[in-house]
Amino acid sequence: MRMKKALAVLSAALMLGAMASCGKDTSGTTESKSDSGESSEAVTTVAEEAESSEEETSAEESSEEENKEPPTREVGEVDENAITFDDGDLHTAHQMGGGGDETDIEVSVEDLDGDKKLKIHAVRAEEGKDYGVVKLVFNLPEMLGVENVGNIGHISIDFTCIANETWKNDDGSESLVVGNFLGALAGNIASEKGTDEEGNLIQNTWANHYEFAYDDWDNGEHTWRCETDIPALLPANGYAANDEGTTLVIMRWGQKNDVDIYIDNLTFFDKDGNSMPIVGGGTATAEEEASEAAPEEAAEE
């Protein structure tokens, strides 16, 4: 009887041990499940972050597409729509002729090192005097089409300056250098009209869009690329569409010595950063020249 009781006690003890062991295994499984849950949450978080990153990238790309900028270009690099003056035409370039501090200029297309450029030669009013302000004007509606003028967002110009006489320093020394090349790109605000004291409509009001400042005190010739955005702008302070009087004015402030200015690769970009075709102000197209030559050739035959 005692033996049976002993066996029963022993059997019960073994069962309790087995149950305790199972309890530990169950606890371990629970922890494992917990780890698995955390891993799942981590995977979900990574996926969400990746999706968010893709959305941000897509938004940035969309924003970049909406705010295109003209590409950064080197001096001498020519856009397909640039005015190169290779056709020999002035493309409407002329002196403003407003008097005051303005100096007379001679405008022509000249060959410089095998490349045609627009040349502006300032005329000194009096011997020994400084030169006045150079004011060169382009008629934009004639060049770009009156309906396109209001789309201008950026302008690029290559300037070459060549000294024709020495610069005289205050200490009496002289050097053949370009010296200061200071001025502005400007234009009339075609949508804003000025009036005189009696209220009569007069010349459009003006706006300086960009002032440039270059110098070279080591060389008698130098080239710069001048670029500027046109403020975003209609109609209060920018070029307005549908106005035939809209102009681009290139000004050089008074100069001490005789320095010629050459212009090349004049390029207009729209507000999306695309270069704008020139539709007028140039010589006849190849098709027009061929058409004009055809009757003469027929007559000769």
Side-chain angles (χ1 to χ4, degrees):
M1 185 70 178
R2 289 178 180 175
M3 181 63 72
K4 289 181 179 180
K5 286 183 178 181
L7 290 172
V9 171
L10 179 60
S11 176
L14 291 172
M15 289 178 66
L16 287 172
M19 290 176 65
S21 176
C22 287
K24 289 179 182 178
D25 290 342
T26 302
S27 177
T29 302
T30 301
E31 289 176 3
S32 175
K33 285 182 179 178
S34 176
D35 291 342
S36 176
E38 289 174 3
S39 176
S40 176
E41 289 175 2
V43 170
T44 302
T45 301
V46 170
E48 291 174 348
E49 289 177 351
E51 185 177 352
S52 175
S53 176
E54 289 178 0
E55 291 176 354
E56 290 177 0
T57 301
S58 177
E60 289 175 0
E61 291 176 351
S62 176
S63 176
E64 289 176 359
E65 290 178 359
E66 293 176 359
N67 300 288
K68 292 180 181 177
E69 295 183 356
T72 301
R73 299 167 302 124
E74 299 296 330
V75 174
E77 186 176 345
V78 184
D79 185 272
E80 60 180 355
N81 289 317
I83 298 176
T84 62
F85 300 99
D86 290 340
D87 55 12
D89 195 273
L90 297 179
H91 288 273
T92 79
H94 61 279
Q95 179 179 340
M96 179 180 292
D101 60 355
E102 181 180 351
T103 189
D104 287 335
I105 58 175
E106 298 171 352
V107 184
S108 60
V109 175
E110 304 291 341
D111 189 285
L112 181 63
D113 299 327
D115 184 19
K116 288 185 178 179
K117 303 178 188 292
L118 183 71
K119 178 182 178 181
I120 303 95
H121 174 70
V123 179
R124 181 180 266 128
E126 295 181 39
E127 190 65 29
K129 296 284 187 180
D130 290 354
Y131 289 87
V133 178
V134 169
K135 296 181 182 179
L136 181 74
V137 181
F138 287 94
N139 184 302
L140 296 181
E142 186 174 340
M143 297 166 70
L144 299 169
V146 65
E147 71 281 1
N148 297 320
V149 174
N151 296 325
I152 299 174
H154 189 86
I155 298 176
S156 173
I157 307 172
D158 285 351
F159 287 113
T160 297
C161 293
I162 299 179
N164 298 317
E165 67 178 9
T166 58
W167 176 283
K168 297 179 181 179
N169 298 302
D170 294 338
D171 62 3
S173 61
E174 298 182 10
S175 54
L176 186 66
V177 295
V178 170
N180 288 321
F181 179 46
L182 314 173
L185 305 184
N188 63 306
I189 306 175
S191 60
E192 295 183 359
K193 308 292 184 179
T195 56
D196 61 18
E197 295 178 354
E198 299 176 0
N200 298 316
L201 186 66
I202 57 174
Q203 172 66 38
N204 298 337
T205 51
W206 289 87
N208 279 6
H209 295 311
Y210 175 74
E211 291 197 12
F212 56 80
Y214 307 106
D215 61 62
D216 189 327
W217 299 96
D218 297 317
N219 303 291
E221 178 178 340
H222 200 96
T223 299
W224 298 274
R225 170 155 287 180
C226 178
E227 299 198 50
T228 178
D229 290 333
I230 301 302
L233 12 155
L234 293 178
N237 63 339
Y239 293 131
N242 305 318
D243 192 304
E244 306 225 347
T246 310
T247 62
L248 167 65
V249 181
I250 299 174
M251 296 186 285
R252 185 198 72 183
W253 308 148
Q255 179 81 7
K256 193 172 182 178
N257 61 331
D258 182 10
V259 177
D260 287 335
I261 306 168
Y262 292 82
I263 292 176
D264 202 5
N265 303 326
L266 171 58
T267 314
F268 299 91
F269 296 85
D270 62 23
K271 292 178 175 58
D272 292 323
N274 304 307
S275 60
M276 302 174 69
I278 303 302
V279 299
T283 56
T285 63
E287 291 79 3
E288 291 172 339
E289 290 176 352
S291 176
E292 292 175 359
E296 296 179 4
E297 293 175 357
E300 291 176 1
E301 292 176 358

